[in-house]
Amino acid sequence: MVGQVKHIIVIESLTNERLTGKEIYDDCIRRRIDLYGKNMTHNYFSISKQQELTELLKYYQTNAIYMTGGILIHFEMHGSKNLDGLIFSNGTLIGWTELIELLRPINIIICNKLFVTMATCYGRHLYKGVDRLKKSPYSGYISASKAVYPIEIVEKFSILFEKLIEYGNLVAAYLEMEKTESNFYYKDSEATFNEAYQSFYDKQVNNPEFREKIKAETKKQCEEHGEPFNDEVAEIFFEKALKEIYAKQKEAFDFSDCD
């Protein structure tokens, strides 16, 4: 079932402010898992720079093969106001593409059972780092599209993790959190791919060079087979070419052979 989680990893990079990640981990995640004897693992990490995050995620790349069940990585960091990544407590930034490249190997190893939650401002822009031609870096993620504040983070994610520990399923937990009119939203890999492809499609539809390339190839094929060629035929083949590109990219992105 999509959304099943057995391993929770909290990664926080904050300083001189309310440590919402530590608070949620101590008061909700660790306490509830231990109290109810749930068959779930949990870990909290406080980091200050990209090197530490890289080493940590590479550790999980190595050990993910031994972690049966879904993995949830929860980030407690500031999101860049430029919408281009996350900011560490030392003030440096990791871009979305760099973060995606660290997450993808984990998701591949566990066959599309990696989930990401982000208690960050503008975390919804994580999708900008996704490459349509490579496997999806996550099965789904929860984030916000605007600025969020500590009180909201603690309140909403406490509900999310309480329900996740109760149900063992992130999607079910999110649906409960959604009832509280949260500013955090769930997006799965399917929606991520469709948004990325739509951006590509919109660019190519209005790209005269791409259109001329397809038109020239279509004309050549028609001439070789003795078939008529005109603008209507060119348009039909243009749309066909885009559909074929979509199918190939979707195949590359998806995990069709996973359970």
Side-chain angles (χ1 to χ4, degrees):
M1 181 178 178
V2 174
Q4 293 298 106
V5 170
K6 285 198 173 182
H7 311 279
I8 301 174
I9 302 159
V10 177
I11 301 175
E12 184 165 63
S13 190
L14 300 171
T15 186
N16 298 324
E17 57 190 300
R18 185 176 180 180
L19 300 180
T20 49
K22 188 73 164 62
E23 187 174 334
I24 294 169
Y25 178 77
D26 287 339
D27 296 345
C28 180
I29 298 171
R30 183 175 64 180
R31 179 174 295 177
R32 284 180 172 269
I33 290 176
D34 294 347
L35 178 63
Y36 296 110
K38 292 290 185 175
N39 183 27
M40 303 175 80
T41 70
H42 53 87
N43 285 287
Y44 168 85
F45 301 94
S46 177
I47 62 174
S48 63
K49 54 188 178 182
Q50 182 168 340
Q51 181 183 353
E52 293 174 315
L53 178 62
T54 298
E55 291 174 354
L56 181 58
L57 293 181
K58 287 198 171 185
Y59 167 84
Y60 280 106
Q61 289 175 19
T62 301
N63 290 277
I65 191 171
Y66 307 111
M67 301 172 72
T68 58
I71 298 174
L72 169 61
I73 299 178
H74 177 71
F75 290 96
E76 290 270 350
M77 301 170 62
H78 288 294
S80 166
K81 291 181 180 179
N82 294 325
L83 314 180
D84 54 357
L86 299 178
I87 301 173
F88 293 97
S89 59
N90 70 353
T92 59
L93 176 139
I94 180 170
W96 297 128
T97 300
E98 294 175 275
L99 180 58
I100 288 296
E101 291 302 319
L102 290 169
L103 295 174
R104 183 182 292 107
I106 301 173
N107 196 41
I108 290 174
I109 290 167
I110 60 176
C111 216
N112 202 33
K113 294 183 178 67
L114 174 65
F115 300 89
V116 177
T117 54
M118 308 181 76
T120 66
C121 300
Y122 319 114
R124 197 166 180 79
H125 296 273
L126 174 67
Y127 77 90
K128 291 180 178 178
V130 169
D131 187 334
R132 307 179 316 277
L133 303 177
K134 297 180 180 179
K135 288 296 182 188
S136 176
Y138 48 73
S139 178
Y141 73 101
I142 294 173
S143 59
S145 59
K146 59 182 182 179
V148 289
Y149 301 95
I151 188 170
E152 180 181 13
I153 289 170
V154 172
E155 178 186 348
K156 301 306 179 182
F157 277 100
S158 291
I159 294 172
L160 181 78
F161 283 111
E162 285 175 9
K163 295 303 179 181
L164 172 60
I165 293 164
E166 179 180 350
Y167 301 144
N169 187 282
L170 182 65
V171 176
Y174 168 73
L175 293 175
E176 291 295 321
M177 182 179 74
E178 191 179 33
K179 294 176 182 178
T180 67
E181 299 183 358
S182 167
N183 284 315
F184 296 95
Y185 301 92
Y186 179 81
K187 180 182 288 186
D188 61 16
S189 57
E190 178 83 12
T192 296
F193 175 83
N194 286 337
E195 283 190 8
Y197 178 80
Q198 187 63 50
S199 177
F200 164 81
Y201 177 89
D202 292 342
K203 289 178 181 177
Q204 298 310 323
V205 165
N206 298 300
N207 182 346
E209 292 183 5
F210 183 74
R211 278 188 171 275
E212 284 303 314
K213 178 183 176 182
I214 299 299
K215 186 174 182 178
E217 292 175 355
T218 301
K219 183 178 181 180
K220 181 179 178 182
Q221 290 181 29
C222 288
E223 290 174 347
E224 289 176 352
H225 293 86
E227 297 175 352
F229 173 80
N230 52 43
D231 288 343
E232 184 178 351
V233 171
E235 187 63 27
I236 291 172
F237 273 81
F238 179 76
E239 290 296 330
K240 181 181 178 182
L242 286 173
K243 288 179 181 179
E244 290 176 352
I245 290 172
Y246 175 89
K248 289 179 180 179
Q249 292 183 355
K250 193 72 162 59
E251 183 180 6
F253 191 82
D254 281 350
F255 290 79
S256 58
D257 56 343
C258 286
D259 296 331

PDB file of all heavy atoms in Angstrom, residues 66-82:
ATOM      1  N   TYR A  66      18.930  -2.615   3.836  1.00  0.00           N
ATOM      2  CA  TYR A  66      18.608  -3.378   5.043  1.00  0.00           C
ATOM      3  C   TYR A  66      17.384  -2.835   5.769  1.00  0.00           C
ATOM      4  O   TYR A  66      16.969  -3.392   6.785  1.00  0.00           O
ATOM      5  CB  TYR A  66      19.797  -3.350   6.006  1.00  0.00           C
ATOM      6  CG  TYR A  66      21.098  -3.788   5.373  1.00  0.00           C
ATOM      7  CD1 TYR A  66      22.126  -2.875   5.143  1.00  0.00           C
ATOM      8  CD2 TYR A  66      21.297  -5.113   4.978  1.00  0.00           C
ATOM      9  CE1 TYR A  66      23.317  -3.260   4.554  1.00  0.00           C
ATOM     10  CE2 TYR A  66      22.482  -5.515   4.378  1.00  0.00           C
ATOM     11  CZ  TYR A  66      23.485  -4.585   4.176  1.00  0.00           C
ATOM     12  OH  TYR A  66      24.670  -4.974   3.584  1.00  0.00           O
ATOM     13  N   MET A  67      16.802  -1.763   5.237  1.00  0.00           N
ATOM     14  CA  MET A  67      15.669  -1.126   5.907  1.00  0.00           C
ATOM     15  C   MET A  67      14.372  -1.490   5.189  1.00  0.00           C
ATOM     16  O   MET A  67      13.955  -0.832   4.243  1.00  0.00           O
ATOM     17  CB  MET A  67      15.871   0.391   5.937  1.00  0.00           C
ATOM     18  CG  MET A  67      17.150   0.803   6.653  1.00  0.00           C
ATOM     19  SD  MET A  67      17.546   2.567   6.524  1.00  0.00           S
ATOM     20  CE  MET A  67      16.295   3.268   7.611  1.00  0.00           C
ATOM     21  N   THR A  68      13.759  -2.572   5.622  1.00  0.00           N
ATOM     22  CA  THR A  68      12.521  -3.021   4.985  1.00  0.00           C
ATOM     23  C   THR A  68      11.372  -2.094   5.383  1.00  0.00           C
ATOM     24  O   THR A  68      11.327  -1.569   6.495  1.00  0.00           O
ATOM     25  CB  THR A  68      12.194  -4.460   5.403  1.00  0.00           C
ATOM     26  OG1 THR A  68      12.093  -4.524   6.831  1.00  0.00           O
ATOM     27  CG2 THR A  68      13.287  -5.411   4.949  1.00  0.00           C
ATOM     28  N   GLY A  69      10.445  -1.921   4.469  1.00  0.00           N
ATOM     29  CA  GLY A  69       9.351  -0.987   4.716  1.00  0.00           C
ATOM     30  C   GLY A  69       9.741   0.392   4.235  1.00  0.00           C
ATOM     31  O   GLY A  69      10.891   0.656   3.875  1.00  0.00           O
ATOM     32  N   GLY A  70       8.804   1.303   4.228  1.00  0.00           N
ATOM     33  CA  GLY A  70       9.066   2.642   3.718  1.00  0.00           C
ATOM     34  C   GLY A  70       9.922   3.481   4.656  1.00  0.00           C
ATOM     35  O   GLY A  70       9.942   3.278   5.869  1.00  0.00           O
ATOM     36  N   ILE A  71      10.630   4.436   4.060  1.00  0.00           N
ATOM     37  CA  ILE A  71      11.472   5.366   4.812  1.00  0.00           C
ATOM     38  C   ILE A  71      10.910   6.778   4.660  1.00  0.00           C
ATOM     39  O   ILE A  71      10.568   7.206   3.560  1.00  0.00           O
ATOM     40  CB  ILE A  71      12.926   5.342   4.290  1.00  0.00           C
ATOM     41  CG1 ILE A  71      13.543   3.951   4.483  1.00  0.00           C
ATOM     42  CG2 ILE A  71      13.769   6.404   4.993  1.00  0.00           C
ATOM     43  CD1 ILE A  71      14.932   3.825   3.866  1.00  0.00           C
ATOM     44  N   LEU A  72      10.832   7.499   5.770  1.00  0.00           N
ATOM     45  CA  LEU A  72      10.425   8.899   5.754  1.00  0.00           C
ATOM     46  C   LEU A  72      11.584   9.758   6.240  1.00  0.00           C
ATOM     47  O   LEU A  72      12.104   9.541   7.342  1.00  0.00           O
ATOM     48  CB  LEU A  72       9.213   9.125   6.658  1.00  0.00           C
ATOM     49  CG  LEU A  72       8.833  10.591   6.937  1.00  0.00           C
ATOM     50  CD1 LEU A  72       8.487  11.313   5.654  1.00  0.00           C
ATOM     51  CD2 LEU A  72       7.678  10.680   7.914  1.00  0.00           C
ATOM     52  N   ILE A  73      11.992  10.726   5.429  1.00  0.00           N
ATOM     53  CA  ILE A  73      13.005  11.691   5.831  1.00  0.00           C
ATOM     54  C   ILE A  73      12.321  13.034   6.031  1.00  0.00           C
ATOM     55  O   ILE A  73      11.699  13.564   5.104  1.00  0.00           O
ATOM     56  CB  ILE A  73      14.127  11.808   4.778  1.00  0.00           C
ATOM     57  CG1 ILE A  73      14.843  10.459   4.607  1.00  0.00           C
ATOM     58  CG2 ILE A  73      15.133  12.880   5.203  1.00  0.00           C
ATOM     59  CD1 ILE A  73      15.939  10.468   3.547  1.00  0.00           C
ATOM     60  N   HIS A  74      12.426  13.563   7.241  1.00  0.00           N
ATOM     61  CA  HIS A  74      11.773  14.824   7.592  1.00  0.00           C
ATOM     62  C   HIS A  74      12.825  15.907   7.761  1.00  0.00           C
ATOM     63  O   HIS A  74      13.748  15.777   8.567  1.00  0.00           O
ATOM     64  CB  HIS A  74      10.983  14.652   8.894  1.00  0.00           C
ATOM     65  CG  HIS A  74      10.339  15.907   9.375  1.00  0.00           C
ATOM     66  ND1 HIS A  74       9.262  16.480   8.736  1.00  0.00           N
ATOM     67  CD2 HIS A  74      10.623  16.722  10.432  1.00  0.00           C
ATOM     68  CE1 HIS A  74       8.899  17.581   9.379  1.00  0.00           C
ATOM     69  NE2 HIS A  74       9.710  17.752  10.406  1.00  0.00           N
ATOM     70  N   PHE A  75      12.699  16.996   6.997  1.00  0.00           N
ATOM     71  CA  PHE A  75      13.645  18.103   7.061  1.00  0.00           C
ATOM     72  C   PHE A  75      13.078  19.268   7.864  1.00  0.00           C
ATOM     73  O   PHE A  75      11.953  19.701   7.625  1.00  0.00           O
ATOM     74  CB  PHE A  75      13.982  18.605   5.648  1.00  0.00           C
ATOM     75  CG  PHE A  75      14.807  17.642   4.839  1.00  0.00           C
ATOM     76  CD1 PHE A  75      14.191  16.771   3.955  1.00  0.00           C
ATOM     77  CD2 PHE A  75      16.190  17.611   4.961  1.00  0.00           C
ATOM     78  CE1 PHE A  75      14.940  15.876   3.196  1.00  0.00           C
ATOM     79  CE2 PHE A  75      16.952  16.730   4.211  1.00  0.00           C
ATOM     80  CZ  PHE A  75      16.330  15.858   3.323  1.00  0.00           C
ATOM     81  N   GLU A  76      13.886  19.750   8.805  1.00  0.00           N
ATOM     82  CA  GLU A  76      13.549  20.957   9.566  1.00  0.00           C
ATOM     83  C   GLU A  76      14.647  21.979   9.284  1.00  0.00           C
ATOM     84  O   GLU A  76      15.686  22.015   9.939  1.00  0.00           O
ATOM     85  CB  GLU A  76      13.470  20.639  11.061  1.00  0.00           C
ATOM     86  CG  GLU A  76      12.282  19.791  11.468  1.00  0.00           C
ATOM     87  CD  GLU A  76      11.059  20.617  11.825  1.00  0.00           C
ATOM     88  OE1 GLU A  76      11.187  21.858  11.940  1.00  0.00           O
ATOM     89  OE2 GLU A  76       9.985  20.020  12.001  1.00  0.00           O
ATOM     90  N   MET A  77      14.438  22.774   8.265  1.00  0.00           N
ATOM     91  CA  MET A  77      15.404  23.782   7.824  1.00  0.00           C
ATOM     92  C   MET A  77      14.649  24.966   7.241  1.00  0.00           C
ATOM     93  O   MET A  77      13.449  24.864   6.979  1.00  0.00           O
ATOM     94  CB  MET A  77      16.333  23.192   6.748  1.00  0.00           C
ATOM     95  CG  MET A  77      17.121  21.985   7.174  1.00  0.00           C
ATOM     96  SD  MET A  77      17.971  21.149   5.794  1.00  0.00           S
ATOM     97  CE  MET A  77      19.082  22.447   5.236  1.00  0.00           C
ATOM     98  N   HIS A  78      15.348  26.047   7.005  1.00  0.00           N
ATOM     99  CA  HIS A  78      14.724  27.188   6.343  1.00  0.00           C
ATOM    100  C   HIS A  78      14.775  27.001   4.832  1.00  0.00           C
ATOM    101  O   HIS A  78      15.754  26.489   4.283  1.00  0.00           O
ATOM    102  CB  HIS A  78      15.440  28.494   6.712  1.00  0.00           C
ATOM    103  CG  HIS A  78      15.188  28.926   8.119  1.00  0.00           C
ATOM    104  ND1 HIS A  78      13.942  29.321   8.564  1.00  0.00           N
ATOM    105  CD2 HIS A  78      16.015  29.012   9.196  1.00  0.00           C
ATOM    106  CE1 HIS A  78      14.007  29.638   9.849  1.00  0.00           C
ATOM    107  NE2 HIS A  78      15.256  29.446  10.259  1.00  0.00           N
ATOM    108  N   GLY A  79      13.700  27.429   4.163  1.00  0.00           N
ATOM    109  CA  GLY A  79      13.674  27.409   2.718  1.00  0.00           C
ATOM    110  C   GLY A  79      14.129  28.758   2.183  1.00  0.00           C
ATOM    111  O   GLY A  79      13.879  29.802   2.791  1.00  0.00           O
ATOM    112  N   SER A  80      14.819  28.738   1.064  1.00  0.00           N
ATOM    113  CA  SER A  80      15.313  29.976   0.466  1.00  0.00           C
ATOM    114  C   SER A  80      14.160  30.835  -0.046  1.00  0.00           C
ATOM    115  O   SER A  80      13.233  30.331  -0.679  1.00  0.00           O
ATOM    116  CB  SER A  80      16.259  29.641  -0.689  1.00  0.00           C
ATOM    117  OG  SER A  80      16.509  30.772  -1.478  1.00  0.00           O
ATOM    118  N   LYS A  81      14.249  32.135   0.189  1.00  0.00           N
ATOM    119  CA  LYS A  81      13.237  33.059  -0.325  1.00  0.00           C
ATOM    120  C   LYS A  81      13.291  33.144  -1.845  1.00  0.00           C
ATOM    121  O   LYS A  81      12.338  33.585  -2.480  1.00  0.00           O
ATOM    122  CB  LYS A  81      13.436  34.442   0.286  1.00  0.00           C
ATOM    123  CG  LYS A  81      13.117  34.499   1.783  1.00  0.00           C
ATOM    124  CD  LYS A  81      13.296  35.899   2.336  1.00  0.00           C
ATOM    125  CE  LYS A  81      12.970  35.945   3.830  1.00  0.00           C
ATOM    126  NZ  LYS A  81      13.159  37.298   4.396  1.00  0.00           N
ATOM    127  N   ASN A  82      14.409  32.723  -2.423  1.00  0.00           N
ATOM    128  CA  ASN A  82      14.539  32.686  -3.882  1.00  0.00           C
ATOM    129  C   ASN A  82      13.951  31.405  -4.471  1.00  0.00           C
ATOM    130  O   ASN A  82      14.033  31.185  -5.689  1.00  0.00           O
ATOM    131  CB  ASN A  82      16.012  32.798  -4.275  1.00  0.00           C
ATOM    132  CG  ASN A  82      16.612  34.138  -3.908  1.00  0.00           C
ATOM    133  OD1 ASN A  82      15.942  35.165  -3.974  1.00  0.00           O
ATOM    134  ND2 ASN A  82      17.871  34.139  -3.504  1.00  0.00           N
TER     135      ASN A  82
END
